[in-house]
Amino acid sequence: MTITLDSLEPALSVRQVLTLERVLAGDPEVVAGASHLDRAVRWVHVAEAADVGVMLSGGEMVLTTGVLLAGDEEKQAEYVRSLHRADAAAVVLGLGRAFPAAPAVMRRAAERCGLPMVVLHRPFPFAELTEEVQSRLVRRKFAAVSLSEAVRTELTALITAGAPLQRLLDEVARHSACPVVVTNLAHRVLGTAGERPAVDDVLRDWERIARQAWGHRPGRSGTGGGTEGDGWIRAELGGRGERWGRIVLCGYRGDTATGRLLADRAAEALVLHRMLGGAACSWEEQSAQSLLTDLVSGVVPARQLLPRARAAGLPVNRRTFVPLVVRDGDTARLDRLLRLLGLPGLVAELADGATAVLLSLPRDQDADALAAHFATRLRTECGPARTVVAAADARTAWDDVPAGLREARHVADAVADSAAALDLPPVVRLRDVHLRGLIRLLRDDPHVQSFAERELDGLLCETGEDLLSVLRTYLATGRNKSRTAQLHHVSRPALYRRLESIQVRLGVDLDDFEQAASVHIALLAHDAQQQ
């Protein structure tokens, strides 16, 4: 059976100990430090020695009758101060022969130190209280260790099975019952998991939250790299002496020790996952890919994706967004070029060899000029025959970005196969694809498919494949015979023979504008259907 945090007993605080049935039998009364009753009780210790503080390590609830303190007010005050210095959770005084009532000196000292002081008005065997609390604490520790091992086993099994990062994070979120965030050292979000509304609440103001959570604020930093303030617990990610990220449990409601165990197990798994990832794309690339894929698909409303974009480091306030899609562009090369040019943006590989690039520019900059500069540099590096940079018009509203990305992809798809034969600008837009763009939109229409088959029937066979390539170039160059011969590395007489063969097979006259246009449309439709 899988152990979850819901199956664990709540952490024991001083307040909770005082509500236990066995403790209530002693008629407890808080006489000092009432505002500190939420301190965690790590152990229960029975001690009469005046110098008990030297025996403690912190978090103990100390039980005493005060028999060695009666009649010496200085010893009584020092007893309380020593408990405070040892970071004890509380002191419980059993009233009786030594103290029939709570001593004023001890009460005042405890109040000044902020140490909860409790008196028991009825005779009470301390052994019963220690037995009850210790057994609960032992069960708690055992359950926490069991949870830790269960999480480690489940995450290791997922890694062995080749599960992606998101699957691991989902499992951690299921166990912790709170949003889980993975960041790099600059606090940029690389992955999230948990209930979507809760995650969105965390990401909505992520920059401020991260700055406050990890700033140098007194009382906020925990041991072992964890941040326990307000239930925020983190564990560092890294290896071989180098840190490269963090995993954060955001608003964890369980006790801190269990939360740290869970965060540590999750961190171990993520480090192992990254090590075994080899040459796979980085978490930064996966994060950008997930965001841009969701934007392009339109399945998730753009407004719901805004917190993710902001947390991923994309500037979104008062910006101009330029949606681009690059054909045959290497993701790493594109990302390096953006950094080199100082252009803020995200890069992610989509399906079918397309790469989305979303630029985020200040509104006082010329978006078209910067996009053209980016495309020119890219084509210079990769060669104009290989690279197509398609764009939609710049958007100033985030909600318009998904439609822009889809338009840019449509343009890139429309010219993908004929880019080398076309005289294209550095950045291709919808107005540049003309008829080709329309055919691309209509490619799945049965009437268009039937038309293409009928018009090209004479060439749609194995022996006509070379002629089909010649026809494609001839029509794409505006029926320029010299250019077509040059691109196919044949003499003009050889080209004439091939064009003659094409006309015979199709039963058309390519010198007739209407017939040539009909064949051209059919060929565009045929090529669009093959993509």
Side-chain angles (χ1 to χ4, degrees):
M1 180 181 71
T2 299
I3 299 174
T4 65
L5 296 183
D6 293 337
S7 67
L8 299 179
E9 296 181 31
L12 283 180
S13 64
V14 175
R15 187 188 310 278
Q16 290 168 325
V17 169
L18 298 180
T19 64
L20 297 178
E21 187 175 349
R22 289 190 180 183
V23 179
L24 290 174
D27 192 13
E29 177 190 1
V30 179
V31 296
S35 60
H36 300 277
L37 294 181
D38 291 321
R39 285 184 174 182
V41 177
R42 189 179 61 83
W43 209 242
V44 178
H45 191 72
V46 180
E48 299 292 352
D51 60 348
V52 64
V54 299
M55 308 176 192
L56 306 179
S57 58
E60 294 91 350
M61 175 179 276
V62 177
L63 311 181
T64 183
T65 62
V67 66
L68 299 181
L69 304 176
D72 191 331
E73 292 188 346
E74 178 55 34
K75 280 188 177 181
Q76 295 169 21
E78 177 56 26
Y79 183 84
V80 172
R81 290 193 293 266
S82 69
L83 294 181
H84 170 65
R85 289 193 296 270
D87 198 23
V91 58
V92 178
L93 176 65
L95 301 181
R97 294 179 183 177
F99 292 105
V105 172
M106 292 183 71
R107 286 205 323 266
R108 287 194 297 270
E111 194 64 48
R112 282 195 298 270
C113 293
L115 177 71
M117 180 175 175
V118 182
V119 296
L120 300 175
H121 289 281
R122 296 177 186 170
F124 181 80
F126 286 167
E128 291 188 9
L129 191 153
T130 56
E131 179 185 1
E132 176 73 13
V133 176
Q134 311 296 48
S135 64
R136 286 177 178 263
L137 291 174
V138 168
R139 289 198 300 270
R140 176 70 188 182
K141 290 186 177 181
F142 176 77
V145 171
S146 298
L147 169 67
S148 172
E149 290 307 308
V151 171
R152 172 183 281 157
T153 300
E154 292 177 16
L155 294 181
T156 302
L158 288 173
I159 294 171
T160 304
L165 171 66
Q166 187 60 53
R167 182 68 184 87
L168 270 64
L169 296 183
D170 289 341
E171 190 68 14
V172 175
R174 184 177 69 83
H175 281 288
S176 64
C178 69
V180 175
V181 176
V182 173
T183 77
N184 61 15
L185 295 182
H187 307 316
R188 291 194 174 185
V189 175
L190 308 180
T192 63
E195 295 185 3
R196 196 72 257 165
V199 172
D200 288 344
D201 286 343
V202 169
L203 297 184
R204 192 165 287 114
D205 200 14
W206 175 255
E207 184 177 347
R208 180 187 62 80
I209 290 173
R211 190 166 52 246
Q212 287 184 353
W214 297 312
H216 298 289
R217 300 173 60 196
R220 298 295 292 235
S221 294
T223 60
T227 300
E228 284 79 38
D230 299 327
W232 284 61
I233 300 176
R234 72 174 179 176
E236 302 295 331
L237 304 176
R240 299 178 181 176
E242 181 182 3
R243 292 185 301 117
W244 39 261
R246 301 179 180 93
I247 182 170
V248 190
L249 309 185
C250 307
Y252 173 71
R253 290 185 174 86
D255 76 287
T256 299
T258 303
R260 283 202 209 109
L261 272 176
L262 182 57
D264 288 343
R265 295 297 81 77
E268 290 173 2
L270 295 185
V271 170
L272 179 60
H273 181 274
R274 181 163 173 140
M275 289 173 58
L276 297 179
C281 62
S282 69
W283 290 355
E284 287 84 355
E285 291 170 339
Q286 292 180 47
S287 175
Q289 183 177 35
S290 173
L291 175 60
L292 291 182
T293 299
D294 285 346
L295 278 170
V296 171
S297 69
V299 173
V300 182
R303 189 160 298 277
Q304 292 184 22
L305 297 172
L306 187 58
R308 284 172 57 188
R310 183 184 290 112
L314 184 73
V316 295
N317 295 329
R318 298 187 59 79
R319 308 290 287 189
T320 297
F321 301 103
V322 183
L324 304 172
V325 170
V326 180
R327 275 289 179 184
D328 298 320
D330 177 73
T331 303
R333 183 194 297 273
L334 293 173
D335 191 60
R336 285 196 300 270
L337 183 56
L338 286 183
R339 296 176 187 275
L340 179 64
L341 299 178
L343 298 176
L346 296 177
V347 180
E349 185 176 351
L350 304 177
D352 303 325
T355 302
V357 180
L358 180 61
L359 301 181
S360 175
L361 307 173
R363 291 189 177 178
D364 59 354
Q365 293 186 350
D366 189 334
D368 289 347
L370 288 174
H373 180 52
F374 169 77
T376 300
R377 284 290 299 270
L378 182 62
R379 286 161 66 93
T380 300
E381 291 186 15
C382 301
R386 293 185 58 245
T387 305
V388 172
V389 180
D393 291 336
R395 265 69 172 167
T396 56
W398 175 257
D399 287 347
D400 296 334
V401 169
L405 285 168
R406 289 192 291 271
E407 179 182 312
R409 185 167 187 179
H410 164 68
V411 173
D413 290 345
V415 299
D417 289 339
S418 305
L422 299 175
D423 185 16
L424 297 174
V427 178
V428 187
R429 302 182 185 275
L430 192 59
R431 59 179 175 269
D432 299 315
V433 297
H434 307 297
L435 179 62
R436 190 179 299 272
L438 175 63
I439 295 299
R440 177 79 187 182
L441 288 175
L442 299 175
R443 64 177 179 172
D444 294 326
D445 187 294
H447 297 292
V448 174
Q449 295 172 356
S450 177
F451 169 76
E453 290 285 333
R454 184 174 62 251
E455 289 290 296
L456 301 175
D457 182 59
L459 296 180
L460 297 181
C461 60
E462 185 176 347
T463 58
E465 186 59 35
D466 181 60
L467 295 178
L468 198 64
S469 175
V470 171
L471 175 64
R472 184 181 292 111
T473 305
Y474 179 62
L475 295 174
T477 58
R479 296 185 291 176
N480 186 320
K481 294 182 176 66
S482 297
R483 179 62 175 157
T484 302
Q486 181 183 16
L487 289 173
H488 282 269
H489 307 290
V490 297
S491 64
R492 286 176 65 95
L495 175 66
Y496 294 155
R497 288 193 295 271
R498 294 185 186 186
L499 291 177
E500 181 62 30
S501 179
I502 290 171
Q503 293 181 104
V504 170
R505 288 193 179 208
L506 297 183
V508 298
D509 179 4
L510 293 179
D511 290 329
D512 180 87
F513 175 78
E514 184 173 339
Q515 293 183 54
S518 180
V519 172
H520 194 184
I521 293 172
L523 185 58
L524 291 176
H526 169 75
D527 289 345
Q529 291 158 18
Q530 306 309 306
Q531 296 175 6

